[in-house]
Amino acid sequence: ETGVTQSPTHLIKTRGQQVTLRCSSQSGHNTVSWYQQALGQGPQFIFQYYREEENGRGNFPPRFSGLQFPNYSSELNVNALELDDSALYLCASSLGSSPELYGYTFGSGTRLTVV
Amino acid sequence: GESVGLHLPTLSVQEGDNSIINCAYSNSASDYFIWYKQESGKGPQFIIDIRSNMDKRQGQRVTVLLNKTVKHLSLQIAATQPGDSAVYFCAEIPRGRFGAGTRLTVKP
């Protein structure tokens, strides 16, 4: 048990649909990052939120969006799903704005399958 | 372009032997790296980290070496155990550039 909970654990969606994935971080963890991990690959950085504001983004299109809430939970939203969006989506939280000081804690991920 | 990558996709060792997993990076401005272990069905788990002002850092049974000249770092696991079997990633934080990973298999 890492203290970072993601839901759902598995999800199947149809191409073109929209999906919302959720992450619940430990109390006080005001930095959250989302990653996409394709099968057999390392996690790819999507974006990071600090105190409810996006403060960094990887090479992902605008149809990937996020929200962070005051209760240390966050969401990843993906619109117009494509088959290549099938992956494990991970969230990672940290106590402060500098993960190199406090470390990251990862959740177990949501396995999204787009058919 | 910038990348963080691993030399070998798989590594198989005998229980009790030492393991060495390598990682290359291309961004000379990278100053902080983390090694993660990912077991099947789980998220990445922090193992050890190192800053660019260090050449070596040791933990319990693990050592990370950083060679900034050739932009290479390695993870050494002493007395490898079956529970060490997993995929190992190096990552540059906080922008989270991960390599593809090395699958370590420990044979009893």
Side-chain angles (χ1 to χ4, degrees), chain A residues 33 35 37 40-45 48 55-56 88 90 99-101 103-104 106-108, chain B residues 32 34 36 38 41-46 49 51 89 93-101:
Chain A
S33 295
Y35 292 83
Q37 185 176 21
Q41 300 294 319
Q44 297 295 315
F45 175 71
Q48 178 174 286
N55 74 338
L88 179 69
L90 297 160
E100 61 268 30
L101 295 178
Y104 266 123
F106 278 85
S108 294
Chain B
Y32 179 63
I34 299 178
Y36 286 96
Q38 188 172 24
K42 297 183 179 180
Q45 178 185 2
F46 173 95
D49 60 357
R51 285 195 163 278
F89 299 95
I93 301 295
R95 286 299 171 258
R97 296 184 186 93
F98 281 75

Side-chain angles (χ1 to χ4, degrees), chain A residues 67-114:
Chain A
L67 287 171
Q68 185 185 24
F69 303 102
N71 65 352
Y72 308 111
S73 66
S74 62
E75 291 180 352
L76 165 65
N77 299 288
V78 187
N79 295 322
L81 283 166
E82 301 176 359
L83 297 180
D84 285 348
D85 295 333
S86 296
L88 179 69
Y89 288 85
L90 297 160
C91 77
S93 70
S94 179
L95 184 60
S97 60
S98 299
E100 61 268 30
L101 295 178
Y102 303 107
Y104 266 123
T105 300
F106 278 85
S108 294
T110 293
R111 172 72 63 188
L112 173 66
T113 302
V114 182

